[in-house]
Amino acid sequence: MWAMSAVGYRRLGAAGSAAAAAGGWAAGTLPTRDPWGIWVPHGPGVTVAATVLAYLGLTLLVVAWWGYGRAGSSVRHTLVTLGWWTAPMLLAPPLYSADVYSYIAQGAMVVEGHDVYGAGPSVLDPGGVGGDAAASVGGHWTDTPAPYGPVFLVLAQAVTLATGGTIVPAVLGMRLIAVAALALIVWALRRLARDRGEDGERGALWLGALNPLLLMHVVGGMHNDGLMIALMLAGVVLARRGRWVAGSALVGLAMMVKSPAAVALLFIGVIVGRAAAGRPAVHRVVKGLVGPGLVAGAVAAGATLLAGTGFGWLRTQSVAGTIHTALSVTSDLGLLLGELLHALLGTDPDPVKTAVQRLGLAAALAVIAYLAWRSARGRPSPVHALGLALVALVVLSPMVQPWYLLWGTTVVAATAWDGRAGRVLAVLSAALVYETAPSGATPWYGFALAAVAGAAATVLVRRSATARPDRTRVPAPRTAERHGARTP
């Protein structure tokens, strides 16, 4: 089978990243107004050509990522490769999403004293701070209150204050936060995977940090999911080291970016309970269930009071669920069932859809509780169970975006990148990265490309498992560098 060295795949991925970023200058999620005249439309012909270039670059990056894992490399080589693949995106316009404009506009709302949990960016003065960002916010988000916690809003406020809300520097300020989050993810992955040796660290970085889905949506798209994941993973690292109070505090901060991080508290509780072996069962259960929650709750309350944004985030957590996304199984099923009953009985389809969505969330909570119970009894490990729990939450959520898969993928990467769950998540990552166009739209051909990529990745997984029945990791790195050979 055709293959390259690790250096070759590094270069191929860097070329792909550069092409994807270059395409983004004309086909990315460009602002409606850019007073600097840097990120501006270039006409339909150039936009189509740039879109093709961005997709070709993305394909090169995916191929390079898949091959890089097979080629074998050291941890240091992998970190350098991550730098190569990240660098081309640093100055690019927003890619694959307009969410960063919402972040900047919400930061401007905090600066001007608006209630970010009671109104949307449309309240901003078009000619004032954040006006250009508000004009660039994606349609339905213009009048939507912020679903994010006060910690993230304070960071967005700081960026807006530092840049005056001017589009280009404000976007680059938000990207700086995203890159810092990526660095923290790398730090946490290495420490969570360290007990699995060099192979474990390298594999964790391959699936959890080099992953094109993460590079495109955390670095390119600047989604705040990256910051949530980083703080959550760092909290788990501290909890595993016995510093569960500090770890729970970090998870509390992660919750004040996005609320799904709260799932980690349950599994930190399992870590706490297992560490208290020999103590009475009631003591272990109470300490594990109550302790982390109290610490994180205190941090969340303190952060909210210090931020001065109010506790409105408690009522806006369901905002995202009102928006239909094709990747949500429960929303799709609820919509189909609702329309069917409407056609047969004339009933309102919306309550049916809502009921199915709530059943999906209830099922997710049941799966999470079951995983915590199993982990408390010995298997799987609390960290691995957390990863599976986050994947279950995404699968059964009323709103699912491609980058939500990263919540659980980064955790599983540290525990079982070469196991069945890791292989499935690798296939899904290779597929879902195509679902969204550089402009942030979700065209039909994005789903078609995702299906092709997913099918190709599945075939490669099966061939690898057949060829190497004793080592069913995919990709399965060679060991030249592991034993001291340097890659030229």
Side-chain angles (χ1 to χ4, degrees):
M1 190 176 81
W2 176 81
M4 298 168 61
S5 68
V7 170
Y9 283 120
R10 173 196 280 174
R11 292 171 178 165
L12 182 66
S17 177
W25 281 81
T29 313
L30 303 177
T32 300
R33 299 193 297 264
D34 173 14
W36 289 12
I38 297 177
W39 294 337
V40 294
H42 293 80
V46 174
T47 300
V48 170
T51 300
V52 173
L53 176 64
Y55 271 114
L56 288 175
L58 177 61
T59 301
L60 290 180
L61 182 60
V62 171
V63 170
W65 172 65
W66 201 270
Y68 187 83
R70 293 176 55 89
S73 62
S74 67
V75 170
R76 181 179 178 277
H77 193 278
T78 303
L79 293 174
V80 174
T81 299
L82 178 61
W84 277 48
W85 293 4
T86 300
M89 302 182 201
L90 296 181
L91 298 179
L95 302 173
Y96 302 99
S97 174
D99 281 7
V100 69
Y101 300 126
S102 292
Y103 303 160
I104 297 166
Q106 288 158 1
M109 290 175 67
V110 176
V111 169
E112 296 188 352
H114 295 285
D115 180 9
V116 289
Y117 299 122
S122 62
V123 301
L124 291 170
D125 178 2
V129 176
D132 290 339
S136 305
V137 172
H140 48 257
W141 292 108
T142 302
D143 297 304
T144 302
Y148 313 119
V151 167
F152 181 72
L153 293 177
V154 166
L155 291 174
Q157 177 191 19
V159 169
T160 303
L161 284 171
T163 62
T166 306
I167 282 293
V168 173
V171 167
L172 296 182
M174 296 305 300
R175 182 164 280 134
L176 185 62
I177 293 173
V179 172
L182 175 59
L184 185 54
I185 288 172
V186 168
W187 176 87
L189 283 174
R190 293 190 64 186
R191 278 145 188 84
L192 288 173
R194 187 155 289 172
D195 59 354
R196 303 189 72 211
E198 174 92 356
D199 244 13
E201 279 192 55
R202 181 171 57 241
L205 291 173
W206 174 79
L207 180 58
L210 275 181
N211 194 323
L213 190 65
L214 185 142
L215 295 178
M216 289 300 170
H217 287 291
V218 171
V219 180
M222 292 156 284
H223 287 292
N224 58 8
D225 301 72
L227 182 59
M228 179 199 78
I229 292 167
L231 291 170
M232 179 185 68
L233 287 177
V236 173
V237 169
L238 294 182
R240 284 216 334 179
R241 292 179 174 180
R243 301 168 59 189
W244 68 268
V245 174
S248 299
L250 280 181
V251 173
L253 292 178
M255 290 164 49
M256 293 299 93
V257 176
K258 293 190 76 169
S259 59
V263 175
L265 294 174
L266 183 59
F267 295 92
I268 287 180
V270 173
I271 293 173
V272 171
R274 289 173 61 163
R279 303 294 295 273
V282 173
H283 172 86
R284 297 199 307 270
V285 171
V286 171
K287 184 178 180 181
L289 289 179
V290 177
L294 286 178
V295 172
V299 168
T304 301
L305 292 173
L306 290 173
T309 55
F311 287 85
W313 55 269
L314 290 169
R315 68 172 182 270
T316 61
Q317 295 307 301
S318 61
V319 164
T322 62
I323 300 167
H324 185 86
T325 55
L327 294 178
S328 172
V329 175
T330 58
S331 292
D332 291 341
L333 181 60
L335 181 63
L336 178 63
L337 184 58
E339 292 296 338
L340 179 61
L341 291 176
H342 175 70
L344 295 175
L345 305 175
T347 57
D348 185 355
D350 288 339
V352 177
K353 179 182 176 182
T354 300
V356 175
Q357 289 175 331
R358 289 176 178 172
L359 286 173
L361 285 176
L365 292 176
V367 171
I368 292 169
Y370 173 72
L371 287 168
W373 175 75
R374 285 288 305 275
S375 181
R377 291 174 61 87
R379 293 191 64 179
S381 72
V383 179
H384 187 61
L386 169 60
L388 297 178
L390 288 168
V391 171
L393 178 61
V394 171
V395 170
L396 295 168
S397 286
M399 178 184 177
V400 179
Q401 298 286 12
W403 55 91
Y404 288 7
L405 185 72
L406 297 170
W407 301 353
T409 299
T410 49
V411 185
V412 171
T415 60
W417 71 275
D418 52 352
R420 180 177 299 175
R423 295 195 297 271
V424 170
L425 292 172
V427 169
L428 290 174
S429 295
L432 290 180
V433 76
Y434 286 98
E435 193 258 352
T436 308
S439 65
T442 52
W444 66 267
Y445 56 81
F447 292 94
L449 290 172
V452 171
T458 301
V459 170
L460 290 175
V461 165
R462 290 179 175 176
R463 284 182 179 177
S464 180
T466 301
R468 238 187 306 264
D470 57 327
R471 288 184 65 192
T472 56
R473 62 186 58 174
V474 176
R478 294 195 296 269
T479 57
E481 276 201 28
R482 193 173 78 187
H483 294 296
R486 285 181 175 266
T487 302

